[in-house]
Amino acid sequence: MVVKKTPNPIDKHVGSRVRMRRMMLGMSQEKLGERLGLTFQQVQKYEKGTNRIGASRLQQIGAILSVPVSFFFEGAPSGEPAPEGGFSDVSAASYVADFLSTSEGLALNRAFIRIKNPKIRRKIVDLVSSIAGDDDEPA
């Protein structure tokens, strides 16, 4: 019997940060793979955390995506349990990274940033909260 190994949480986090940055730049997996001399399937495996990214490859990816290697580890899980009775900063950072690594999250973020009027931005947040059923939560 073959036991399927689950990806290491750090590998998943680093991969999701690669994906988020690649999407922020509007770069396809194919294009990143081409620049790295890899197939887009290999880039997919990196982004899912299925395949671990070696140090030299991560440095190469950072150079292509114009970020320091440390970018890929920002908000990474520490392996320590979250504080009792509250949320940790890591889970909040992970939540944001997960959101921004989706095409919808990235598109929403890009469009929202282009809205210059703070009152309109506030009304959009209120609208989305209302749709989500968070009417009674303070901003």
Side-chain angles (χ1 to χ4, degrees):
M1 181 170 103
V2 176
V3 178
K4 191 169 185 175
K5 188 179 168 201
T6 59
N8 178 292
I10 299 290
D11 294 332
K12 283 180 70 173
H13 178 81
V14 168
S16 74
R17 299 283 290 179
V18 169
R19 176 176 166 79
M20 178 178 68
R21 180 62 182 164
R22 177 185 58 74
M23 291 178 73
M24 288 173 81
L25 296 174
M27 183 183 289
S28 68
Q29 287 178 330
E30 188 175 17
K31 184 69 174 172
L32 178 57
E34 191 179 286
R35 303 252 332 251
L36 292 168
L38 304 170
T39 64
F40 79 89
Q41 292 96 334
Q42 180 63 45
V43 172
Q44 266 182 339
K45 289 178 182 181
Y46 282 160
E47 290 182 355
K48 290 179 182 176
T50 308
N51 285 10
R52 187 170 283 168
I53 305 172
S56 59
R57 177 76 72 201
L58 193 57
Q59 187 173 25
Q60 188 180 16
I61 292 170
I64 292 167
L65 300 179
S66 303
V67 290
V69 171
S70 60
F71 169 85
F72 301 113
F73 294 95
E74 289 173 8
S78 66
E80 297 173 15
E84 294 279 328
F87 296 102
S88 71
D89 290 339
V90 171
S91 64
S94 177
Y95 174 79
V96 171
D98 289 347
F99 173 71
L100 289 176
S101 68
T102 67
S103 56
E104 296 89 358
L106 192 57
L108 185 61
N109 189 54
R110 282 181 173 157
F112 189 79
I113 288 170
R114 289 194 311 265
I115 300 167
K116 300 299 178 210
N117 185 322
K119 289 181 182 177
I120 292 174
R121 287 167 67 135
R122 178 73 250 163
K123 287 181 180 187
I124 291 170
V125 170
D126 292 343
L127 173 65
V128 173
S129 295
S130 176
I131 293 168
D134 297 341
D135 291 331
D136 41 321
E137 282 196 23

